[in-house]
Amino acid sequence: MSTQATPVYTRFSDAYPDEFAEWSDIFEQENMTPQHQRMAAIIDAPAVMHAAKAVIDSILADESERWRGEDRLTRLDAVWQFFGRASHLPEEQPPGSHLRRKDDEPLAFSSPSQLRQGITSTAAKALELAALLRQTATTIGDVTTLDHAPALVSQLEDLHDAAVMAAHLYLDHPLPSAGSWHGWLQSRLAVLSIYHLRENHTALIAATQCALIAHEEERGAY
């Protein structure tokens, strides 16, 4: 008994409809933004092509309540929007990562114990600094303008409250250790799939995750 081999798409035109070729004209090699580069890397990955072909065929043929009343262009645009939103994810800051000054800086993560300690310390120091600022603002104001001091005190108190809430949250549900960007990326892609594609397309999510990780690692960003 023979089995039919699973097709592996290596050409854009084999995997995607003609509309995608028109929309991809935004990818001008000499003027591509980092986001465009990521999106091109995603949609050109063979595994993504294979998964996307199945998803697109399924969506176009879907007559259930999920897609009923939506025309072809709307359905295809939903897939394109999924890829577009996915290409922005590396610019976001997942919980547990250290704040970056620039979007293209490599991500660094705290371990769960470091994170809990840092959150607890943030809460204490924010309240302490707010109290110190209340005591010294008028004196400091003699040498510099501190018209924004009351707002800064309020922000520090809000920071304290937020840190206390986060400490309770991650005490009950600790974050993964360093490298949690991979897990966070998968969870965010699942949200995007449900939002744009109206279903949790696991094969497309996994392929997109791998394509994004490979692209960012090649750039040395993660």
Side-chain angles (χ1 to χ4, degrees), residues 1-2 4 8 25 35 80 82-83 85 143 148-150 203 205 207-208 221:
M1 180 177 178
S2 62
Q4 185 175 3
V8 176
D25 286 343
Q35 182 265 328
W80 189 260
F82 168 80
F83 288 140
R85 291 286 300 280
V143 295
H148 59 289
I205 290 168
T208 302

Coordinates of all heavy atoms in Angstrom, one line a residue, residues 1-2 4 8 25 35 80 82-83 85 143 148-150 203 205 207-208 221:
M1 N 0.9 -1.2 0.0 CA 0.0 0.0 0.0 C 0.9 1.2 0.0 O 1.7 1.4 0.9 CB -0.9 0.0 1.2 CG -1.8 1.2 1.3 SD -2.9 1.1 2.7 CE -3.8 2.6 2.6
S2 N 0.7 2.1 -1.0 CA 1.6 3.3 -1.1 C 0.9 4.4 -0.3 O -0.3 4.5 -0.2 CB 1.8 3.7 -2.5 OG 0.5 4.0 -3.1
Q4 N 0.9 8.7 0.1 CA 1.2 10.0 -0.6 C 2.0 10.9 0.2 O 1.7 11.1 1.4 CB -0.1 10.7 -1.0 CG 0.1 11.9 -1.9 CD -1.2 12.5 -2.3 OE1 -2.2 12.1 -2.0 NE2 -1.1 13.6 -3.1
V8 N 5.8 19.7 0.2 CA 6.6 20.7 0.9 C 6.7 21.9 -0.1 O 7.2 21.7 -1.2 CB 8.0 20.2 1.3 CG1 8.8 21.3 1.9 CG2 7.9 19.1 2.3
D25 N 4.2 43.2 -2.3 CA 4.9 44.3 -3.0 C 5.5 45.3 -2.0 O 6.4 46.1 -2.4 CB 4.1 45.0 -4.0 CG 3.8 44.1 -5.3 OD1 4.6 43.1 -5.4 OD2 2.9 44.4 -6.0
Q35 N 10.5 45.0 10.8 CA 9.2 44.3 10.8 C 8.9 43.6 9.5 O 8.5 42.4 9.4 CB 8.1 45.2 11.2 CG 6.7 44.6 11.3 CD 5.9 44.7 10.1 OE1 6.0 45.7 9.3 NE2 5.1 43.7 9.8
W80 N -3.2 37.4 6.4 CA -2.2 38.4 6.2 C -2.0 39.2 7.5 O -0.8 39.5 7.9 CB -2.5 39.3 5.1 CG -1.4 40.2 4.6 CD1 -1.2 41.5 5.0 CD2 -0.3 39.9 3.8 NE1 -0.1 42.0 4.4 CE2 0.5 41.0 3.7 CE3 0.1 38.7 3.2 CZ2 1.7 41.1 3.0 CZ3 1.3 38.7 2.4 CH2 2.1 39.9 2.3
F82 N -2.6 38.2 10.5 CA -1.9 37.3 11.5 C -0.4 37.3 11.3 O 0.3 37.5 12.3 CB -2.4 35.8 11.3 CG -1.6 34.8 12.1 CD1 -1.8 34.6 13.4 CD2 -0.7 34.1 11.4 CE1 -1.1 33.7 14.1 CE2 0.1 33.1 12.1 CZ -0.1 32.9 13.5
F83 N 0.0 37.2 10.1 CA 1.5 37.3 9.8 C 2.0 38.7 10.2 O 3.1 38.8 10.8 CB 1.8 37.0 8.3 CG 1.6 35.6 8.0 CD1 1.0 35.2 6.7 CD2 2.0 34.6 8.8 CE1 0.9 33.9 6.4 CE2 1.9 33.2 8.4 CZ 1.3 32.9 7.2
R85 N 0.9 40.9 12.5 CA 0.9 41.0 13.9 C 2.0 40.2 14.5 O 2.7 40.6 15.5 CB -0.4 40.7 14.5 CG -1.5 41.6 14.2 CD -1.4 42.9 15.0 NE -1.4 42.7 16.4 CZ -2.5 42.5 17.2 NH1 -3.7 42.5 16.6 NH2 -2.5 42.3 18.5
V143 N 16.9 74.4 43.4 CA 18.0 74.3 42.4 C 17.5 73.7 41.0 O 18.2 73.8 40.1 CB 19.1 73.4 42.9 CG1 19.8 74.1 44.1 CG2 18.7 72.0 43.3
H148 N 6.6 68.8 38.5 CA 6.0 67.5 38.3 C 6.1 66.6 39.5 O 5.8 65.4 39.5 CB 6.6 66.8 37.1 CG 8.1 66.6 37.2 ND1 9.0 67.6 37.2 CD2 8.8 65.5 37.5 CE1 10.2 67.1 37.3 NE2 10.1 65.8 37.5
A149 N 6.7 67.1 40.6 CA 6.9 66.3 41.8 C 5.7 65.6 42.3 O 5.7 64.4 42.7 CB 7.6 67.1 42.9
P150 N 4.5 66.3 42.5 CA 3.3 65.6 43.0 C 2.9 64.5 42.1 O 2.5 63.4 42.6 CB 2.3 66.7 43.0 CG 3.1 68.0 43.1 CD 4.3 67.8 42.3
A203 N -0.6 24.0 14.0 CA 0.5 23.8 13.1 C 1.1 25.1 12.6 O 2.3 25.3 12.5 CB 0.1 22.9 11.9
I205 N 0.8 28.0 14.1 CA 1.5 28.7 15.2 C 2.9 28.1 15.5 O 3.8 28.9 15.6 CB 0.6 28.4 16.5 CG1 -0.7 29.2 16.4 CG2 1.4 28.8 17.8 CD1 -1.7 28.8 17.5
A207 N 4.9 26.6 13.3 CA 5.7 26.9 12.2 C 6.1 28.4 12.2 O 7.3 28.8 12.0 CB 5.1 26.6 10.9
T208 N 5.2 29.3 12.6 CA 5.5 30.7 12.7 C 6.4 31.0 13.8 O 7.4 31.8 13.7 CB 4.2 31.5 12.9 OG1 3.3 31.2 11.8 CG2 4.4 33.0 12.9
A221 N 19.6 38.7 18.0 CA 18.8 39.5 18.9 C 18.3 38.7 20.2 O 18.0 39.3 21.2 CB 17.6 40.1 18.2

